Amino acid sequence: MLYRNNPKNGDELSILGFGAMRLPMKEDMSIDEAKATEQLRYAIDNGVNYVDTAWPYHMGASEPFLASALADGYREKVRLATKLPTWLVNSREDMDRFLNAQLERLNTDHIDYYLIHGLNGGSWEKMKELGVTVFLDSAKADGRIINAGFSFHGNGKDFPVIVDDYDWDFCQIQYNYMDERNQAGTEGLEYAASKGLGVVIMEPLRGGNLASPVPPEVECIWNEAQTERSAAEWGLRWVWDHPEVTVVLSGMNELSQIKENLRIADEAEPNMLTESELQLVGNVESKYREMMKAGCTGCRYCMPCPASVDIPTCLETYNNLHMFKDEMSSKMMYAMRLAGVVSLDEPHFASQCVKCGECLERCPQDLPIPDLLEEVVRDLEGDDLDERVKMVKMMFFRE
């Protein structure tokens, strides 16, 4: 296992982190605790020392599971990360209440890496108004948390604002070769690192979509490589090639996945990919983009929309549906990202479009956005949208 230094505190963290959001499950959808414990302890025994969870993972069961899985001395071997559920916080007192509950659920007296969960510009402003910076200072002072950070799912322009608004120890961003210009992106990665923050990466394989199944058109490109590697290995190596990256989280739920990722993490040094290998990954990205139904670059010049449609996110989810052919996941992600449940605001669905045409005047790609939004409604909304929104609210304990 290779390790990288968190420049803010000197911690030596394993470049592979264990994400506890996609643990193996039984047929009744509960965590297969025996299997998950075996997998987690195997990863730790082989060098993983960063474990990440959150309040809502596995419908609230992830944190209590880790309390038992990290018994027998395993808690002392890892830096444990969990997150404050921002969408449930309505007061300064709520912050202490959730943190204290998490300490009890995790059976620990401190959280090594504590994150404010899923920030964007609006939710960060709300958290500041409620006193989150005072909360973090207090919790660090009394030892309940050791390092303070945030995870981010907002617009790129909001990311440096949040980085600069508090003396963070680390941050967590979505990053992979398809998301260099999405959310925080490469610019955000480099900005956070320039400020001395450790950077934890989530979704290095876009929820597994960049690993399997691989479209034949993409497989042909990977087969051109001089060194034979799986699509998952190429994706992970690409992220680890960036020296600004500290830890890459992987939601591993099969022992074969853990063993493959451990093998890669034994040798994935920064700047190891050759120019020809980087070009190969670039060719794969281009092929995926050719397969997109909408040529949206995520520049957000179309925003804000007078009808509150989040046009770039609608088109991104629509493209993912057609690139990766995973209808169930795409429809759930559409509801999760656009219902306003986690972002603490109003819905932003494509069906809210009133065809005012303002986006047409702003789009540098000259996309027929209102027509594309009609296709989004057809493919991603449907009669079951309300049920999916209810499921999202249940997942995040909003009703």
Side-chain angles (χ1 to χ4, degrees):
M1 175 63 65
L2 297 178
Y3 298 83
R4 296 189 186 178
N5 181 272
N6 179 352
K8 202 64 180 288
N9 58 23
D11 279 354
E12 291 292 320
L13 302 177
S14 57
I15 65 170
L16 177 64
F18 197 104
M21 184 174 73
R22 299 185 178 100
L23 298 167
M25 295 186 293
K26 298 178 180 179
E27 289 186 4
D28 64 1
M29 304 305 289
S30 65
I31 297 171
D32 187 332
E33 296 200 5
K35 188 175 180 180
T37 299
E38 178 187 11
Q39 292 176 0
L40 175 61
R41 292 187 176 186
Y42 182 90
I44 296 171
D45 288 341
N46 284 274
V48 169
N49 71 358
Y50 190 95
V51 177
D52 172 88
T53 186
W55 180 269
Y57 291 176
H58 284 277
M59 300 292 287
S62 179
E63 289 178 331
F65 159 74
L66 286 178
S68 61
L70 292 175
D72 304 323
Y74 279 88
R75 171 67 183 93
E76 290 72 32
K77 297 179 180 181
V78 300
R79 268 55 169 222
L80 182 59
T82 193
K83 309 173 185 76
L84 177 72
T86 52
W87 55 93
L88 296 175
V89 172
N90 295 303
S91 67
R92 167 69 179 80
E93 291 72 26
D94 281 346
M95 301 175 196
D96 284 307
R97 180 169 60 85
F98 280 112
L99 173 56
N100 291 337
Q102 288 171 300
L103 292 169
E104 183 174 347
R105 281 158 59 129
L106 287 160
N107 191 27
T108 187
D109 63 359
H110 70 280
I111 307 298
D112 300 287
Y113 282 77
Y114 197 67
L115 301 95
I116 310 303
H117 198 166
L119 289 183
N120 58 28
S123 60
W124 173 236
E125 289 303 316
K126 176 182 177 180
M127 289 297 103
K128 283 199 299 182
E129 291 173 6
L130 293 176
V132 73
T133 59
V134 176
F135 159 71
L136 291 172
D137 287 343
S138 173
K140 289 182 74 172
D142 63 29
R144 287 178 295 164
I145 68 175
I146 308 303
N147 300 287
F150 67 96
S151 63
F152 182 78
H153 280 296
N155 302 332
K157 64 180 177 60
D158 293 327
F159 183 75
V161 175
I162 298 173
V163 169
D164 290 341
D165 265 357
Y166 183 72
D167 185 20
W168 304 102
D169 299 296
F170 72 112
C171 65
Q172 183 171 311
I173 64 172
Q174 176 172 318
Y175 194 61
N176 54 71
Y177 62 76
M178 294 296 296
D179 284 325
E180 286 196 85
R181 294 171 294 279
N182 185 36
Q183 297 189 30
T186 300
E187 187 174 336
L189 169 67
E190 294 175 349
Y191 188 79
S194 75
K195 296 292 184 175
L197 274 64
V199 183
V200 177
I201 302 300
M202 56 185 160
E203 304 294 353
L205 300 174
R206 272 202 173 190
N209 283 321
L210 297 178
S212 178
V214 181
E217 306 95 315
V218 173
E219 188 69 42
C220 287
I221 299 174
W222 289 135
N223 289 340
E224 296 172 7
Q226 292 183 350
T227 303
E228 183 178 350
R229 293 170 178 150
S230 68
E233 181 167 354
W234 280 112
L236 290 171
R237 282 181 178 270
W238 184 89
V239 178
W240 275 320
D241 199 58
H242 294 74
E244 301 88 356
V245 168
T246 310
V247 176
V248 174
L249 293 175
S250 179
M252 303 171 283
N253 53 29
E254 294 291 345
L255 192 57
S256 59
Q257 296 172 352
I258 297 171
K259 289 181 176 180
E260 179 184 19
N261 290 357
L262 287 168
R263 175 185 60 78
I264 305 166
D266 281 342
E267 55 191 46
E269 299 277 4
N271 301 312
M272 279 194 67
L273 294 182
T274 66
E275 285 300 320
S276 62
E277 289 174 330
L278 290 170
Q279 183 60 57
L280 186 78
V281 178
N283 292 342
V284 168
E285 183 210 5
S286 296
K287 177 55 66 175
Y288 271 123
R289 296 201 180 279
E290 285 178 21
M291 296 163 64
M292 288 181 175
K293 298 282 282 186
C296 176
T297 64
C299 70
R300 303 191 72 86
Y301 289 161
C302 58
M303 299 295 286
C305 166
S308 295
V309 178
D310 186 339
I311 298 168
T313 301
C314 286
L315 296 184
E316 177 190 340
T317 313
Y318 175 66
N319 278 328
N320 286 342
L321 169 66
H322 290 282
M323 280 192 297
F324 304 122
K325 314 299 183 186
D326 189 343
E327 183 176 357
M328 181 181 298
S329 293
S330 295
K331 284 189 169 184
M332 279 304 299
M333 191 58 65
Y334 182 81
M336 187 176 298
R337 296 185 64 187
L338 293 158
V341 174
V342 180
S343 56
L344 307 176
D345 57 11
E346 61 188 339
H348 303 287
F349 294 124
S351 54
Q352 296 168 215
C353 174
V354 296
K355 299 184 184 295
C356 66
E358 286 193 20
C359 54
L360 295 173
E361 300 172 5
R362 300 177 192 156
C363 179
Q365 310 301 320
D366 293 321
L367 298 178
I369 292 175
D371 295 338
L372 289 169
L373 291 176
E374 286 187 351
E375 295 180 24
V376 174
V377 174
R378 180 196 67 205
D379 290 355
L380 288 168
E381 295 199 15
D383 295 336
D384 64 338
L385 179 60
D386 287 344
E387 287 302 313
R388 281 181 275 133
V389 172
K390 288 181 182 178
M391 288 178 64
V392 170
K393 289 180 177 179
M394 289 175 60
M395 288 169 61
F396 288 90
F397 307 95
R398 289 299 296 274
E399 67 172 29

